[in-house]
Every structure is written in C-alpha cells, then in structure tokens.
Amino acid sequence: MTERIPCQNVGCSATILPATALKTGGICMPCHQKKLAREREAYILQNRKDVDRYDGVTDPVEILKIMHAPRQYDPLVREIPYPKGAQELYHSLTAAQREQMETYAISLIEQEDFDQAETILLSLVCFTNERIERGLVALFRQEKYDPGILYKAAGPAIRDELIRLVQRDTDNRNHLLLALAWIGDEEVVQLFAKWRKSPPRWASDLYLPPEKYAHEAGWELDQEGRKRLLFHPACYHFEVCEEGSGEKEPARSAVAALQTDEQACPWCRGKLTVLLDFDLTAPIARFLKLSGQRLKIAACLHCNCYGTVFTKVTLDGGYSWSPLNIVPEYLPDTDPDEGIFSFPLRLSDRPRGTYEGAYWTLEAPASQIGGHPSWIQDADYPACPCCQETTTFIGQIDMEQAADSEGIYYAFLCRACLIAAVNYQQS
C-alpha cells in the first residue's frame, strides 16, 4: 500500500497520495481547489472592467433594446446600469416610439426569440396601455396565446379567431380561455354567460368552469350575467423611504402600510399587522366609495402564509378577528414575539396605470392600492364567508420591496358585509 503524506497546508490534517502531492504542490485537493479559487478571484478583481453599453445612446427605443437584450455572464465585465428603469422609459415613449418597439418585438417573434419579444409586448401593454394588435397577429402565426394579458382589449378579428379555436384546440384551450377573458368585451361576456348556463361538452376537461377564467382578468359574471370588476381601476403605488432622508417613518399619508398592532392572532398568539390603514376622507381613497373615516385591513403575517384571514371591519378604524376563519391544515410553530422587519413605505400621490403591476415579473414596484393585482400564482379572490360573494381587491404589499423578504400579501373587502380578507402568494 502506498504511504500517504500529510498536506503541507498549515492547519490541515488531511493526508494525500504522493502522486496527488506532485500535482498540487504538496497540498490536498480541497486545499488546492481553495487556492485556485482565491487566485481566480484575485485575477477577476485585478482585471475586471466597467462597461457602459448605453454610452452615447440617447434614443429611448435604442436604450430599451439594449436593456432587454439577453446577457451572457462574464465575471470580468461589470455593467454600468442605465440611470432610468424600463418602466420610466416606457412612460416617456411617444406614440411613434411605442410603434417602433412593437415592430421590434415582431421581428424578434419572427426570429423565434419569444422571451425578449414577450417582455417588450408585456411592457407596452402594462406600462403604456398600448394595444398591440400587430404583435398579436405575429403571435397568432406562431400559435402563442400566453400570457393572456397580452390580449387585453384585442379587437373583434382576434377575438373571433380565439372563439373559433377554443372549440377545437384542446392543447391550448386553457390559454385561449385566458386570452378571451382578458379581451372581456360584451361578446366575450355573453359567451361566458352562455357557457355558465349551458356548459360546452369540453368543459368537463377543465379544472374549473369556463366562466371562472374571467377571474384572471379581474372580473366575473354577476347573477344577471353582466360583467362585474373585481378590482378598482384607480391605482397608487408605495415607495420605500430613501436611506439618509432622515425619515425613520414616513409621514402620515392617505394610506399607511405594515403597522404592528396590539391585537393578537388567535392561532399563533403573535401580534397582528395592519397591512393597510386607509384615511377614507383623503381624496386618494375616494375610489373605495366608503362613507366613513378610516379602514384598517389587518393580517397575521405568519399564519396568512398558510390560509386566508378574515376580519370584521368598521369604518372608524376598528376591526376584529372573524369567527368564520378556518384554521389551516398546517401551521408551523412560530415565536409570538418574532416580528418582521419592514422598510418605511410612503404612498405616492401620483396615480399610475391600472395594469402597471399586473404582471409580477416586470420591474414595477408591486406594493399598491387599487389597480389590478400582481398575481404570482393563479388569481385568488376570496369569497366573503358571510354572503359568499367574491370580495373586491383593494391593495397589496410586496414583501420584497417592503421588507427584503418574499411574497405578496393581498387585501380584499366585501362592502356589503364589511368583511376584509387577506391572502398571500409567493413563487
């Protein structure tokens, strides 16, 4: 048996074969790998260079093309980011420039670069509320019907083709129904009402009735078969208070977020958190159309990750845990005194587009009141436990933005019963 020799690295007790020692200079393989990694890191630090891909580029269309282009990782390159984000750049585009971006996305579709084209078209739809009819025609040629939000407000020709396809295209039926839901015009509403009354033969192959696909687009059929929105079109977003601004807490605004309360969760005994605290007399909050002074939507940030929490609210800022809450099948052991550190949020007084946060993978900050929810998973509008009507979305807090954590808490309200609901999703 070949005699093993000790590793020459100080503090290492490993022994190695003489052949290994010849390859590594007398040290064991783990120490050799660490040495190579340190040398590689030192080389990168010494030779890394800054690259500004936007240097000299002033046209926002060209800047966005660079911004959306895929990157190949290179440890020797440190890219200098553009001082403005994509959302702000899309806001600045003229009608002609938006058309240019759509044309560019179409060229990417023809090259089968679907990921980059999808991001551009989603940005046009969500950030500028642009109708991308030409882009949809290009997607149709490639039999691409997802994500459905791209079809928001599509015209009659595309709508009719979707209706024709949904009858026979089994493989794409889910995507086709979602696209129709996002179109959501009177023809689609009548079609969904017809399907609710007389389900088509293929409805049994779906996970839910055809008319329920409307929830993904933020609406449903009422009892008379009319379209009922499940969110408020008015939308305002929260901003994180900048470090060094001298603000430990944001000044009291029309809506405050993430405030720890003294009431305790009956399930884990931890303190409840007021997710959203509305001053109902403020102009910004008038879209809720509630004739009161104050509305608090509370949640348990621990237990809410495992099920919906309902509270009975009053319009003077009161709330109480609903006896109709159902304990989730699983709840982990938690420390009741463990809090969730959060950054101070301030509500912007600038309205933003209804759908700017609707697609959660885009860069728009997701903490908001009103607007369309940023569903991470499937749409999940809770039913009021009192009247069984679908509750209306009124706001959400993105924990990545608010607490350097993950997931989004969504707040809802049944106006008739004054029952609030909070649920949670994460990737």
Side-chain angles (χ1 to χ4, degrees):
M1 181 180 292
T2 304
E3 183 179 355
R4 298 177 69 90
I5 59 177
C7 172
Q8 299 300 306
N9 201 17
V10 177
C12 181
S13 59
T15 59
I16 56 175
L17 295 171
T20 302
L22 287 173
K23 294 178 183 178
T24 64
I27 60 177
C28 67
M29 193 56 68
C31 289
H32 181 62
Q33 294 295 338
K34 290 178 182 178
K35 177 174 177 287
L36 291 178
R38 288 194 299 269
E39 290 174 351
R40 175 64 175 164
E41 184 177 353
Y43 176 82
I44 290 172
L45 289 174
Q46 185 176 359
N47 293 278
R48 181 180 288 161
K49 58 182 179 180
D50 292 338
V51 173
D52 185 357
R53 298 181 187 272
Y54 306 99
D55 185 31
V57 183
T58 58
D59 181 357
V61 170
E62 296 305 316
I63 292 169
L64 283 168
K65 288 180 182 179
I66 296 170
M67 196 174 285
H68 289 308
R71 301 281 191 270
Q72 187 170 5
Y73 176 69
D74 184 345
L76 295 178
V77 172
R78 180 169 46 224
E79 293 212 22
I80 299 175
Y82 193 72
K84 295 180 181 179
Q87 183 183 15
E88 186 177 355
L89 285 168
Y90 274 99
H91 286 171
S92 71
L93 296 180
T94 64
Q97 289 169 334
R98 294 196 295 270
E99 189 174 338
Q100 284 180 264
M101 289 303 300
E102 184 178 2
T103 300
Y104 179 60
I106 292 169
S107 71
L108 293 171
I109 292 170
E110 291 168 350
Q111 299 166 39
E112 298 190 356
D113 186 350
F114 297 117
D115 289 343
Q116 194 182 169
E118 178 185 297
T119 300
I120 292 170
L121 294 176
L122 280 168
S123 300
L124 287 168
V125 168
C126 295
F127 296 156
T128 74
N129 208 30
E130 184 81 354
R131 289 186 63 181
I132 53 166
E133 207 79 8
R134 294 185 301 119
L136 293 180
V137 170
L139 289 172
F140 244 92
R141 292 196 190 104
Q142 301 289 340
E143 298 183 354
K144 296 289 183 180
Y145 314 113
D146 180 59
I149 191 174
L150 290 175
Y151 288 80
K152 181 173 71 69
I158 286 176
R159 178 203 64 207
D160 292 345
E161 184 64 14
L162 287 170
I163 292 173
R164 185 183 67 82
L165 287 171
V166 80
Q167 304 291 344
R168 61 180 179 81
D169 191 340
T170 305
D171 293 339
N172 290 305
R173 185 166 286 138
N174 277 291
H175 291 156
L176 292 165
L177 286 168
L178 290 172
L180 282 170
W182 275 103
I183 292 174
D185 62 11
E186 187 58 33
E187 188 78 17
V188 170
V189 172
Q190 291 180 12
L191 181 63
F192 278 28
K194 174 185 172 183
W195 285 339
R196 183 174 68 176
K197 186 176 181 179
S198 302
R201 63 181 182 276
W202 42 261
S204 59
D205 298 329
L206 304 173
Y207 289 107
L208 69 166
E211 71 276 6
K212 293 295 184 182
Y213 281 74
H215 277 198
E216 290 291 333
W219 61 278
E220 68 177 5
L221 297 172
D222 65 13
Q223 293 183 352
E224 286 73 38
R226 296 170 302 197
K227 182 177 183 178
R228 175 190 170 229
L229 279 184
L230 298 176
F231 64 92
H232 297 278
C235 184
Y236 297 85
H237 69 282
F238 286 95
E239 301 169 332
V240 177
C241 295
E242 296 291 337
E243 289 185 20
S245 65
E247 289 189 69
K248 293 183 179 178
E249 295 182 358
R252 174 70 190 174
S253 62
V255 185
L258 286 181
Q259 298 176 318
T260 302
D261 200 36
E262 291 305 313
Q263 291 196 46
C265 171
W267 296 339
C268 71
R269 307 310 305 170
K271 290 184 177 180
L272 296 179
T273 297
V274 176
L275 196 70
L276 295 167
D277 183 355
F278 290 83
D279 176 359
L280 296 176
T281 65
I284 282 178
R286 287 176 186 163
F287 70 86
L288 293 174
K289 297 181 181 177
L290 296 172
S291 56
Q293 301 296 312
R294 197 170 182 185
L295 173 65
K296 288 185 177 181
I297 309 293
C300 173
L301 297 189
H302 297 292
C303 299
N304 241 137
C305 297
Y306 302 91
T308 301
V309 165
F310 297 98
T311 53
K312 176 68 175 178
V313 300
T314 60
L315 300 184
D316 58 2
Y319 71 89
S320 58
W321 187 270
S322 172
L324 300 173
N325 278 313
I326 299 175
V327 182
E329 293 182 4
Y330 170 77
L331 279 177
D333 293 330
T334 57
D335 180 355
D337 297 322
E338 180 186 356
I340 295 181
F341 174 77
S342 63
F343 303 118
L345 295 177
R346 180 199 296 110
L347 186 70
S348 172
D349 59 1
R350 301 188 310 275
R352 75 169 179 176
T354 301
Y355 300 96
E356 294 209 35
Y359 205 79
W360 76 279
T361 59
L362 295 180
E363 69 165 26
S367 298
Q368 65 184 45
I369 60 167
H372 191 284
S374 308
W375 297 117
I376 297 174
Q377 301 165 22
D378 293 335
D380 185 12
Y381 293 89
C384 173
C386 292
C387 68
Q388 301 307 311
E389 287 292 320
T390 308
T391 55
T392 300
F393 172 78
I394 60 172
Q396 63 191 24
I397 297 297
D398 179 1
M399 297 306 286
E400 182 177 359
Q401 178 192 14
D404 197 21
S405 182
E406 62 178 334
I408 297 177
Y409 290 91
Y410 307 86
F412 309 84
L413 182 68
C414 173
R415 290 186 59 193
C417 303
L418 288 183
I419 292 289
V422 174
N423 59 21
Y424 172 84
Q425 292 185 359
Q426 69 177 61
S427 57

